[in-house]
Amino acid sequence: MKAVVMAGGEGTRLRPLTVNRPKPMVPVVGRPVMEHIIGLVRRHGIEEIVATLHYLPDVIQDYFGDGSDFGVRLKYAVEVTPLGTAGSVRQAAADLTETFIVISGDALTDMDLTELVRFHKEKGAVATLALTRVPNPLEFGVVITDGAGQIVRFLEKPSWSEVFSDTINTGIYVLEPEIFDLMEEGKVYDFSKDIFPQLLAAGRPMYGYVSRNYWCDIGSLDQCLQANEDCLAGRVQVDIPGEEVRRRIWVGRNVDIDPSAKLTPPVVICDGAVIRRDARVGEYSVIGPNTVVDRDAEVKRSATMGSVYLGRGADVRAAQIARGASVGSRASVGQGVVIGDETQVGEGAIIKPGVKLWPNKTVEAGAQVNTSVVWGSRHVKAVFGPGGVSGLGNIEITPELVVRIGEAFGTALAKGDAVCVSRDGSPAAVMLKRAVMAGLASSGVRVYNLETSALPLTRHAIPTLGAKGGVFVMARPSSPGGVTLKLLDARGMDIDTATERKIETMMVREDTRKVPVEEIGQVSYPSKILDFYRTDFLARVDVATIRKRQFKVVLDYGHGAAGVLMPSMLGALGCQDMAVNTAPDPLRLSRTPEQMREATEYVAGMVRAIKADLGVIFDATGERVRLVDNQGRALTGQQVLTLFAALATEGKPAAKVAVPVTATSAVEAVAGAVVRTKTGARALMQAAATWQYAFCGDEHGGYIFPAFSLGPDGLFATVHLLHMLALAARPLDALIDALPPADVATTDVPCPLEAKGAVMRHLIEATAGKNPILVDGVKVCRGEQWVALIPDPVQPVMHIYSEPAATAGDLVDEYRQVVEAAVQIGAAEQEAAAAKED
């Protein structure tokens, strides 16, 4: 057999280690990862290898040559432009005329390739994928197989609600050459996104082999250090360089170790290293070739590459140091520090934990470095969450971070494009808005400064002004001290996940556009934005019909910008309004759930006191609302959602509505054409953008009317309801009482983050044959009852929704027990795996 080693990886998340070397050349226990992979392939009797290269190919070719020094015959296929995982292998098709193996050159494993090939041939497969189970499958491709191992579904880099298994694709395949029939030479193809789905759709035999062997995708700096530790602990079978002179102490050739030096196993001392008097090399350390550890220096749980110098009395803890770097006498290098090639750290300098120093940098003697020294600033992983960029203001979401987000967002756009930027009135939003504007301008993007605004107005302004995007900075609802940045596209919708990943990648690579001073984006202040919004808003309702009713409305503006916009709308509609919490108060924009309940009760009391037609409670952004009917009854989100669905489709048989999988079944009872989406505002906005729906909404007060806006708008939802009430000539309570019951109950079950993948796998197994709905999480219907289980994307809980609440208790208990049992099984599996490794 022959093997293809995919070695084109750039390793952006391993920077600064990969600035001067491709990812497969990052060393683990003193040898490049790719060398370990070639050794594994050779041990299983495969001696002919084709390596696919792209990033810094000369580094790999110079090291491995023709492969003869490593016991193999090695050829290379170099991509000038990236062709994807499958496209790169297609280049070597002429050499692959029989069954062959594809394996990643930048993941560490001791997988039994012989058994994998035997499994492939026994099944008569066209393609066999080596699979493994991991606690957190979010960054991998999830693969679902049936009882015989045949693959039935793929999901590439899912969200938690899409994780139907913790079994993931390792990037190791056994393939038949007929797969090349699906590819044209020179075109971009990906195995997971293109070739395997085609084979699955065609019903070709494709199997998954679940391996219990060690596998680690060295996709982050922490994983790189962990891989070294796993090798030294014996958790993975690799060829560790040197001779084991004492138990778990490996020493290479021409090494000079002073008798007074102390080595605490397990450690590796590579060829030519020098360990001087009273130096201490602690457990799980790798001292690279020709490295000098000077007198009284101490190294713990760290790895150095070649020709590194650690000065007298230097202290290095859980750090990684690249080739040719030096750490001066009495310098301190903290946990998680990464020092790039040829960087010099002066005497007595202190490098604080987590700092990364890019290659060829100099840290002066006695300096204290608290932030990374790179081409830009430091990298923050996983910038985006479910609702944008969120965290504690000035602690997690700092001006420095927000400037970088602005730079990356601007770089994703064309130079000279415009972006609308606005905020609520909170102090943190004032500060961070200025930071994001600076980042955008530095990338050559023009800024339309909308100053303080409601989020619906900002969404509307973007297409009105012809801008290519927007940023809204606000206090985080229900989270005092928290802030959120929402990044918007040219339609005023939240940007999609692909754009989020693109921005994060640019931040990781420090690869943002810096324009000359004469091209810095200018800031302007558009006028009449409120007038444009108001005109478009009122054109979408029957003003005369609403004016005839002379509605009385009680409104709680929550101290937000809706209190500036809404009064003029209601005045034009002839409504009498009584408003509370109208004055902007930057310190009261976030309200806890208890404060929202109190606000609702207060509005309900006012509605009863003045015999109003409607009560409305706005969130601080103006996007979401809670409603109170004319009897002073607080309406649930499910009731209002059902009402809007009914009003949107009444007398319109062809009209469709979109609601999430967690919405009440009453929606189907009042609207004939209903499409279920994932939970979250972004899924509803994407549905609205297809222009197929009269209404899109959720049970949390977010209502979208695509004819007016593709985003939630609490102001328009309120006036639209008044319009519908005027046309119906019936009070709100009568419309509510005519609706079918909307009785959805919710509960949460603890579910540790590392167990979510295993829990979703067990849920899929438990619901086999019950026709589960897998739009978002797992939903099971039983007669008129249903239960939906959706993992929280951030918190360690599983959300359980059920209907009817009064009778679905047994169904909820049944699946709560499934979740709890799966958590226990997952914990037991992890303990067993840990015990096996030990």
Side-chain angles (χ1 to χ4, degrees):
M1 289 187 69
K2 295 181 180 179
V4 177
V5 176
M6 293 188 292
E10 189 172 342
T12 56
R13 293 188 182 275
L14 292 182
R15 291 190 177 190
L17 299 182
T18 53
V19 172
N20 296 322
R21 60 185 58 79
K23 185 180 175 186
M25 294 302 292
V26 172
V28 172
V29 288
R31 287 182 172 156
V33 181
M34 183 171 165
E35 185 175 344
H36 291 298
I37 293 302
I38 288 177
L40 172 69
V41 169
R42 187 189 65 245
R43 287 197 298 274
H44 286 274
I46 301 172
E47 297 181 352
E48 293 189 54
I49 299 173
V50 178
T52 62
L53 312 179
H54 171 61
Y55 176 65
L56 300 178
D58 291 348
V59 176
I60 293 176
Q61 291 172 312
D62 291 345
Y63 185 90
F64 290 104
D66 62 4
S68 57
D69 290 345
F70 302 89
V72 297
R73 294 185 295 280
L74 187 57
K75 294 183 178 180
Y76 301 99
V78 180
E79 303 170 73
V80 178
T81 58
L83 296 173
T85 55
S88 64
V89 175
R90 171 66 180 81
Q91 289 192 113
D95 293 313
L96 304 171
T97 58
E98 299 177 352
T99 305
F100 63 96
I101 285 181
V102 174
I103 188 167
S104 173
D106 52 25
L108 188 66
T109 184
D110 57 5
M111 191 172 294
D112 189 341
L113 301 181
T114 302
E115 178 61 20
L116 173 63
V117 173
R118 186 202 63 76
F119 176 90
H120 172 83
K121 292 184 175 179
E122 178 184 276
K123 296 294 185 180
V126 173
T128 297
L129 284 63
L131 312 177
T132 192
R133 288 177 177 151
V134 296
N136 184 352
L138 294 186
E139 291 300 318
F140 304 100
V142 171
V143 180
I144 300 174
T145 59
D146 63 16
Q150 188 158 2
I151 293 171
V152 297
R153 189 173 181 186
F154 289 101
L155 200 58
E156 188 68 14
K157 293 187 178 179
S159 63
W160 271 121
S161 63
E162 298 171 310
V163 174
F164 303 122
S165 174
D166 58 351
T167 307
I168 60 106
N169 178 5
T170 64
I172 302 173
Y173 315 127
V174 183
L175 303 173
E176 297 300 322
E178 62 195 82
I179 66 152
F180 295 129
D181 296 340
L182 302 175
M183 293 180 260
E184 297 180 28
E185 188 173 0
K187 289 193 174 182
V188 178
Y189 296 97
D190 186 88
F191 279 120
S192 296
K193 295 178 181 177
D194 302 313
I195 304 305
F196 295 152
Q198 285 187 56
L199 293 174
L200 186 64
R204 303 301 301 279
M206 187 164 47
Y207 284 81
Y209 170 83
V210 180
S211 172
R212 303 292 181 182
N213 293 80
Y214 179 94
W215 178 85
C216 176
D217 170 45
I218 304 177
S220 71
L221 292 164
D222 288 342
Q223 288 172 328
C224 188
L225 203 58
Q226 183 64 48
N228 279 289
E229 182 172 320
D230 291 341
C231 290
L232 294 176
R235 301 185 185 111
V236 53
Q237 300 304 308
V238 296
D239 186 13
I240 297 177
E243 178 185 354
E244 192 173 3
V245 296
R246 292 191 349 236
R247 177 169 171 75
R248 308 207 76 75
I249 295 180
W250 291 267
V251 177
R253 296 170 298 176
N254 303 316
V255 169
D256 182 5
I257 303 177
D258 190 274
S260 65
K262 182 179 180 181
L263 308 182
T264 304
V267 296
V268 175
I269 312 295
C270 294
D271 294 352
V274 177
I275 313 297
R276 292 189 172 146
R277 182 157 60 93
D278 295 325
R280 297 176 297 283
V281 179
E283 65 276 10
Y284 298 109
S285 292
V286 178
I287 304 302
N290 304 309
T291 289
V292 175
V293 182
D294 215 334
R295 293 174 53 181
D296 295 311
E298 182 171 10
V299 183
K300 270 191 173 183
R301 292 183 178 269
S302 299
T304 76
M305 295 188 191
S307 303
V308 169
Y309 173 74
L310 305 180
R312 291 189 178 191
D315 184 25
V316 179
R317 304 295 175 100
Q320 299 176 77
I321 304 177
R323 177 174 296 277
S326 65
V327 176
S329 300
R330 301 179 307 282
S332 174
V333 178
Q335 181 176 344
V337 168
V338 182
I339 299 176
D341 300 283
E342 306 294 337
T343 286
Q344 299 179 4
V345 177
E347 294 184 8
I350 299 174
I351 313 300
K352 289 290 188 177
V355 165
K356 297 168 183 59
L357 305 178
W358 250 237
N360 303 299
K361 296 293 183 284
T362 300
V363 177
E364 295 180 357
Q368 179 169 301
V369 182
N370 300 306
T371 59
S372 298
V373 181
V374 291
W375 298 319
S377 189
R378 59 178 174 166
H379 159 57
V380 178
K381 188 180 179 182
V383 174
F384 290 91
V389 182
S390 295
L392 292 174
N394 217 26
I395 297 174
E396 296 171 318
I397 310 299
T398 63
E400 295 87 350
L401 172 64
V402 173
V403 167
R404 294 183 56 234
I405 292 171
E407 290 174 343
F409 189 24
T411 304
L413 303 173
K415 191 163 56 176
D417 282 347
V419 172
C420 294
V421 181
S422 61
R423 61 172 174 82
D424 67 12
S426 61
V430 174
M431 171 184 71
L432 297 176
K433 174 171 162 282
R434 293 168 180 164
V436 78
M437 288 170 59
L440 289 165
S442 75
S443 68
V445 167
R446 294 180 294 120
V447 175
Y448 290 145
N449 186 352
L450 306 187
E451 303 182 273
T452 305
S453 176
L455 183 49
L457 177 61
T458 304
R459 293 190 190 275
H460 185 270
I462 293 169
T464 300
L465 295 172
K468 299 302 182 182
V471 182
F472 186 78
V473 190
M474 63 183 183
R476 191 175 180 183
S478 304
S479 178
V483 295
T484 294
L485 274 75
K486 280 193 174 291
L487 272 61
L488 312 175
D489 67 14
R491 298 167 294 180
M493 297 166 48
D494 294 3
I495 60 172
D496 58 25
T497 53
T499 305
E500 289 179 348
R501 288 184 183 276
K502 183 177 181 180
I503 290 170
E504 287 181 338
T505 298
M506 283 189 283
M507 293 174 70
V508 170
R509 295 180 178 182
E510 305 291 339
D511 189 18
T512 54
R513 184 174 59 224
K514 297 287 197 304
V515 300
V517 291
E518 63 271 15
E519 295 180 8
I520 290 173
Q522 298 299 302
V523 179
S524 59
Y525 298 80
S527 60
K528 299 185 177 180
I529 293 301
L530 179 54
D531 292 338
F532 293 147
Y533 178 78
R534 185 174 182 271
T535 300
D536 197 10
F537 187 109
L538 295 177
R540 305 288 175 172
V541 296
D542 188 338
V543 174
T545 301
I546 298 174
R547 289 182 66 87
K548 287 179 184 177
R549 283 292 304 271
Q550 296 185 331
F551 287 110
K552 283 185 182 179
V553 187
V554 178
L555 305 107
D556 180 342
Y557 291 119
H559 303 286
V564 177
L565 300 174
M566 196 64 170
S568 66
M569 308 290 189
L570 294 176
L573 296 168
C575 297
Q576 301 176 47
D577 63 299
M578 178 172 288
V580 296
N581 296 327
T582 56
D585 188 338
L587 301 180
R588 297 173 66 185
L589 292 172
S590 294
R591 293 197 276 195
T592 65
E594 179 59 32
Q595 289 171 330
M596 284 298 289
R597 281 192 291 271
E598 292 174 355
T600 304
E601 291 173 1
Y602 184 78
V603 169
M606 291 184 66
V607 167
R608 289 190 292 268
I610 69 170
K611 295 182 169 52
D613 298 287
L614 175 66
V616 185
I617 302 93
F618 288 91
D619 74 353
T621 69
E623 280 208 319
R624 296 181 178 272
V625 290
R626 293 187 179 190
L627 300 183
V628 173
D629 74 6
N630 51 298
Q631 291 188 32
R633 297 181 301 184
L635 304 179
T636 68
Q638 298 283 6
Q639 286 178 305
V640 179
L641 179 63
T642 306
L643 174 63
F644 275 127
L647 295 174
T649 57
E650 186 176 14
K652 303 172 186 175
K656 294 195 297 184
V657 300
V659 297
V661 293
T662 52
T664 172
S665 296
V667 174
E668 276 82 2
V670 300
V674 179
V675 173
R676 296 284 178 158
T677 72
K678 295 179 182 180
T679 55
R682 178 155 50 196
L684 290 170
M685 284 186 257
Q686 289 170 344
T690 66
W691 305 105
Q692 299 177 25
Y693 302 96
F695 167 73
C696 306
D698 63 26
E699 66 272 34
H700 304 298
Y703 309 118
I704 302 173
F705 299 89
F708 174 66
S709 172
L710 298 180
D713 189 333
L715 292 80
F716 188 79
T718 301
V719 172
H720 180 79
L721 179 57
L722 294 176
H723 183 195
M724 293 295 102
L725 291 175
L727 293 176
R730 298 172 65 192
L732 180 55
D733 64 333
L735 296 179
I736 292 294
D737 292 342
L739 297 174
D743 188 21
V744 177
T746 62
T747 187
D748 291 341
V749 179
C751 181
L753 296 175
E754 65 274 12
K756 285 182 179 178
V759 169
M760 292 300 289
R761 169 164 52 90
H762 285 290
L763 281 173
I764 292 294
E765 294 169 355
T767 57
K770 298 178 182 178
N771 298 318
I773 299 168
L774 304 179
V775 173
D776 198 4
V778 180
K779 184 175 182 179
V780 179
C781 300
R782 183 181 296 170
E784 295 183 354
Q785 299 177 346
W786 60 264
V787 62
L789 301 99
I790 300 180
D792 189 280
V794 177
Q795 300 300 323
V797 297
M798 180 75 71
H799 302 299
I800 302 181
Y801 302 80
S802 61
E803 189 179 33
T807 61
D810 292 343
L811 192 60
V812 172
D813 290 341
E814 176 184 337
Y815 283 97
R816 179 192 288 113
Q817 292 171 13
V818 171
V819 173
E820 291 171 345
V823 169
Q824 294 177 357
I825 292 170
E829 288 175 347
Q830 291 180 26
E831 289 177 5
K836 182 179 178 181
E837 290 173 355
D838 292 341

